[in-house]
Amino acid sequence: METKAGDPGAFAHFDLARVDSPAFVVDAARLRANLAVLADVRDRAGIKLLAALKAFSMWRTAPLVSEYLDGVCTSGLWEARLADEHYAGGEIATYCAAYKAEDLPEICRLSNHVIFNSPGQIARFRALLDAQGGGFDIGLRINPLHAEGEVPRYDPCAPHSRLGFPVNQLEGAHLDGVSGLHLHTLCEQDFAPLERTWASLRPQIERYLPQLKWLNFGGGHHITRADYQRDQLVEFLKAVKADTGCEIYLEPGEAVALDAGILVGTVLDTLRNGMPLAITDISATCHMPDVTEAPYRPAMLGELPLEDELIDEAQGGVVRLGGPSCLAGDVIGDYRLPVTAEPGARFAFLDQAHYSMVKTTTFNGVPLPSIWLWDSETDALECVRRFAYADFRDRLS
Ligand SMILES: Cc1ncc(COP(=O)(O)O)c(C=O)c1O
């Protein structure tokens, strides 16, 4: 998978020695810029825009997110609690592929929208939902059966996908008590795939539109990328709103924190095995699991082109970077570092604010990166959180 982000922005001038290693550093100024772009789309289109906590839930920045957007979308009880504690005042839309009965009363109390993955779950929980006394809308996630994904792992419309109720099975009775439909089918995509998805879906749900209050087009919209077609998106959203009479929601995650954070690491040791190798204190599997899951190669701050024919190893040739864990596949990729790849050398991977911080593990007892907030406009730098041995120990028993 090719990542379309990797703009260093103000990090091009950030001194990596100012923070711990490993450390996530988030630039509040870049976050504000992304949020301003999203709020502008929201205002021009007359829609509601929620931030997906699954992608980026550094709650220290919640006041900033809440200042610009209408609320957050959450993936279940714990994210809904986090939203209630830290992103208070905005809307909370919760979608989970399947709920547990014991979680639902609190989820209903915390959420404005409770979105189900199947009419079967709505029917099974009907009495429980009725007993909550209202205050929330019930939604249904549908699968438009229109695949636009580039990678099956990230394509909720891939064959046999469990995510969303197949639209060709939808019947009027399934929408009893349902106020809105939700779809999430994109991943790091432009406007055209959304337009095609709606063109394919609209005729299939046309007869239900008059009874719906809202439509939620999920996430996966790369709205804050410099070349995203924002004007077309705005016109499209206005047209869908006018056509359907529904309130329209978008819930991007990645676009909120796009290029807003780096992961700083250090070379711990070097060796050769057919090529130069370096062990670092960043682990792909513990700190950037998408690198091996997607897989993709994260861009490095200031990296030199790999294909330079004049590469002289003594001057800094290609090095394969890997983590300190026991996993043979804990390999990040091949790089030409901007500094000599020797023990103590600092480097940073770009675009690590989203889907890395939320996915870290302590496999092998590998320490968690500390979390820093920097403001490139004022140069203020703050260590928000450091993790210790107890954080590893207390997840075990
Ligand atoms: C239901 C739902 N909403 C929103 C998002 C956020 O998507 P993204 O971070 O790609 O914008 C996701 C991501 O998986 C999702 O599953």
Side-chain angles (χ1 to χ4, degrees):
M1 188 172 170
E2 208 187 307
T3 175
K4 293 177 193 143
D7 168 12
F11 287 113
H13 311 291
F14 183 75
D15 176 3
L16 303 182
R18 293 174 73 187
V19 295
D20 301 334
S21 181
F24 288 108
V25 186
V26 169
D27 178 4
R30 175 63 200 237
L31 203 53
R32 276 196 301 274
N34 286 345
L35 290 165
V37 166
L38 294 171
D40 177 61
V41 166
R42 181 264 321 270
D43 292 341
R44 286 198 285 145
I47 62 153
K48 296 220 176 170
L49 209 142
L50 311 177
L53 287 191
K54 71 186 73 187
F56 179 68
S57 39
M58 180 180 170
W59 42 268
R60 175 70 171 68
T61 64
L64 202 54
V65 174
S66 305
E67 191 185 321
Y68 287 86
L69 305 186
D70 299 292
V72 296
C73 76
T74 74
S75 318
L77 180 58
W78 286 3
E79 280 192 355
R81 270 190 202 165
L82 192 73
D84 181 57
E85 279 175 20
H86 292 283
Y87 297 77
E91 291 189 30
I92 300 177
T94 302
Y95 157 79
C96 186
Y99 294 101
K100 288 187 161 183
E102 60 265 38
D103 293 348
L104 259 183
E106 191 177 347
I107 288 173
C108 293
R109 186 171 59 73
L110 299 176
S111 311
N112 301 79
H113 295 178
V114 181
I115 301 163
F116 288 82
N117 195 57
S118 74
Q121 267 228 326
I122 300 178
R124 209 167 315 121
F125 288 130
R126 176 66 67 190
L128 192 155
L129 292 168
D130 288 346
Q132 301 312 308
F136 61 93
D137 282 356
I138 295 174
L140 175 66
R141 176 170 174 172
I142 52 169
N143 175 349
L145 300 171
H146 173 88
E148 287 281 356
E150 293 161 13
V151 180
R153 178 188 286 274
Y154 296 113
D155 182 4
C157 294
H160 316 301
S161 169
R162 75 190 186 292
L163 301 174
F165 188 65
V167 67
N168 61 0
Q169 297 175 33
L170 191 63
E171 293 169 13
H174 294 144
L175 297 180
D176 235 12
V178 169
S179 304
L181 291 181
H182 177 283
L183 48 135
H184 169 77
T185 60
L186 307 181
C187 178
E188 296 189 349
Q189 274 164 306
D190 284 343
F191 166 65
L194 172 63
E195 190 181 36
R196 287 193 293 266
T197 302
W198 179 243
S200 134
L201 177 64
R202 194 197 175 288
Q204 302 182 71
I205 59 168
E206 184 168 21
R207 61 190 178 282
Y208 307 122
L209 291 173
Q211 74 196 72
L212 297 176
K213 259 169 70 182
W214 49 264
L215 289 168
N216 184 326
F217 288 154
H221 320 281
H222 237 196
I223 299 170
T224 49
R225 216 182 60 228
D227 59 352
Y228 185 93
Q229 308 77 14
R230 287 187 283 273
D231 291 341
Q232 287 182 52
L233 175 68
V234 166
E235 291 314 311
F236 165 81
L237 294 169
K238 277 161 59 178
V240 174
K241 188 174 175 175
D243 168 37
T244 62
C246 289
E247 183 71 74
I248 309 295
Y249 284 80
L250 293 184
E251 47 180 40
E254 183 159 331
V256 171
L258 194 71
D259 283 327
I262 57 172
L263 178 55
V264 177
T266 302
V267 173
L268 302 177
D269 195 16
T270 57
L271 63 159
R272 281 193 71 97
N273 184 1
M275 70 176 292
L277 306 170
I279 316 285
T280 78
D281 60 358
I282 293 181
S283 158
T285 191
C286 297
H287 305 147
M288 304 186 290
D290 281 357
V291 166
T292 50
E293 275 179 24
Y296 82 103
R297 176 187 180 280
M300 177 182 280
L301 181 64
E303 68 177 301
L304 305 172
L306 286 179
E307 59 278 5
D308 192 333
E309 281 175 13
L310 300 174
I311 293 175
D312 168 357
E313 226 177 76
Q315 282 180 345
V318 176
V319 184
R320 179 159 300 174
L321 300 183
S325 81
C326 65
L327 181 73
D330 190 357
V331 170
I332 302 166
D334 296 350
Y335 294 88
R336 281 182 69 214
L337 273 62
V339 293
T340 309
E342 59 190 12
R346 286 257 169 137
F347 58 89
F349 292 111
L350 297 172
D351 199 28
Q352 293 304 316
H354 56 81
Y355 292 114
S356 287
M357 199 188 292
V358 290
K359 283 190 157 190
T360 52
T361 74
T362 53
F363 176 54
N364 274 221
V366 171
L368 294 167
S370 55
I371 298 176
W372 297 66
L373 188 61
W374 177 51
D375 190 323
S376 58
E377 274 169 16
T378 62
D379 202 31
L381 178 67
E382 180 192 348
C383 179
V384 177
R385 180 95 197 253
R386 274 198 180 95
F387 299 94
Y389 162 67
D391 295 295
F392 160 64
R393 181 196 60 202
D394 293 348
R395 295 179 62 232
L396 304 165
S397 65

